[in-house]
Amino acid sequence: MLSMILVVVVLAVFLSFGSLRLFSIRKMEKGEKRDALVLSIVGGKLRQILKICKVELSVDGLDRIPEKEAVLFIGNHRSYFDIVVAYSILPRPTGFISKKEIAKIPNIELWMRELHCLFLDRENLKQNLQVIIEAIKQVKAGISMWIYPEGTRTRGESELDLGEFKAGSFKIAEKSGCKIVPVAMINTRRIMEEDFPRLHSAKVYVQFGKPIDLAELSEEDRKNIAEYTRERIREMLAELKEKEAKELSETV
């Protein structure tokens, strides 16, 4: 319970007094310098939280992320800590498409909007469409976006059990022309959801896959891009599970 208490205190202090820092940041001209500063502040705070929770990260494939173009990150989703891990390692500003309930946490919406995050109302199809349109605009403006096409956290026993990937999520890549970067994570659920409200240490494995260029796919694969990407991520998850099993066997 001590880890949970410390995390709550860190977040409460940051969201309370960090608003003063955010006020000064908002006086800066919008652009790369401001975005980089916000990512540095948020990423640093989230790395502190991971340290409190004694989370070890094994990250592969950061060098596969195109350096000078915005992309659409597509990931599997099992824990709130997926976003914590992502923002602790992302090399440049990226907006997440999140459910609107997250924005109800005091002051968190202000920081997330500075990070170019967008909020979905899953009960409002018209609003969902507007969010996708805004995400397309942001990608065209050079801001990468990250979306979980399953729509919610999956709770299956096996991390290979992925929910359906909603095709609408991929309109961002189709309409903007950006590449899709598949991302696989395992063990984030062990940190909190498996024994809430206790927090547990874990080794989290993250893999960024080879970017998917829609223009290079066959017509059939482009037509079924949601399922194509889903299978790529499932393969990556299997590779991570094998890597974890190998490391565990070597320590015995």
Side-chain angles (χ1 to χ4, degrees), residues 78 157-160 185-187 190 205 207 234-248:
R78 289 177 60 82
E157 289 188 13
S158 171
E159 291 181 292
L160 302 183
M185 290 189 193
I186 63 171
N187 298 341
R190 293 180 185 175
Y205 294 78
Q207 182 175 328
R234 190 199 298 276
E235 291 169 1
M236 292 160 59
L237 289 169
E239 291 173 5
L240 291 178
K241 296 299 290 184
E242 290 178 4
K243 181 178 180 181
E244 179 188 34
K246 181 179 179 181
E247 289 184 0
L248 289 173

Side-chain angles (χ1 to χ4, degrees), residues 35-233:
D35 287 345
L37 176 59
V38 173
L39 180 61
S40 174
I41 294 170
V42 173
K45 190 57 59 177
L46 296 181
R47 284 189 289 274
Q48 181 183 355
I49 288 173
L50 292 176
K51 186 175 181 180
I52 291 172
C53 298
K54 298 180 181 179
V55 173
E56 180 184 353
L57 297 181
S58 174
V59 184
D60 177 60
L62 280 172
D63 57 337
R64 298 189 184 107
I65 303 173
E67 292 185 3
K68 298 182 179 180
E69 58 187 277
V71 300
L72 175 65
F73 293 101
I74 295 287
N76 64 304
H77 192 27
R78 289 177 60 82
S79 170
Y80 286 117
F81 269 84
D82 294 338
I83 298 177
V84 176
V85 170
Y87 268 131
S88 72
I89 60 178
L90 279 170
R92 63 175 185 270
T94 298
F96 273 75
I97 296 181
S98 178
K99 60 182 182 180
K100 67 173 186 175
E101 287 79 7
I102 298 295
K104 294 179 180 180
I105 302 174
N107 292 334
I108 199 168
E109 179 183 8
L110 301 177
W111 282 101
M112 290 184 73
R113 290 200 182 279
E114 278 295 324
L115 289 164
H116 302 281
C117 295
L118 302 171
F119 299 95
L120 276 174
D121 179 353
R122 288 179 291 187
E123 305 300 321
N124 188 331
L125 294 179
K126 183 177 180 180
Q127 189 267 353
N128 288 355
L129 177 60
Q130 290 301 316
V131 167
I132 297 299
I133 291 172
E134 181 59 31
I136 293 168
K137 291 179 181 178
Q138 292 198 166
V139 170
K140 288 182 175 180
I143 301 296
S144 294
M145 298 300 298
W146 188 312
I147 192 168
Y148 296 113
E150 293 168 282
T152 187
R153 291 169 295 149
T154 56
R155 296 172 171 80
E157 289 188 13
S158 171
E159 291 181 292
L160 302 183
D161 293 335
L162 298 175
E164 177 187 359
F165 277 24
K166 295 176 174 57
S169 305
F170 295 84
K171 293 295 182 183
I172 300 169
E174 293 171 358
K175 298 299 183 181
S176 69
C178 74
K179 294 182 178 67
I180 297 169
V181 176
V183 189
M185 290 189 193
I186 63 171
N187 298 341
T188 51
R189 193 171 180 82
R190 293 180 185 175
I191 304 169
M192 182 176 72
E193 281 84 354
E194 288 187 357
D195 192 26
F196 185 81
R198 293 180 175 83
L199 298 178
H200 294 272
S201 61
K203 183 169 184 179
V204 173
Y205 294 78
V206 185
Q207 182 175 328
F208 291 84
K210 179 182 177 182
I212 300 169
D213 188 339
L214 293 176
E216 296 178 354
L217 297 181
S218 67
E219 181 179 351
E220 182 67 18
D221 286 336
R222 285 198 303 273
K223 181 180 178 181
N224 298 291
I225 186 59
E227 185 61 24
Y228 177 88
T229 306
R230 182 174 180 267
E231 289 308 307
R232 285 282 299 275
I233 292 176

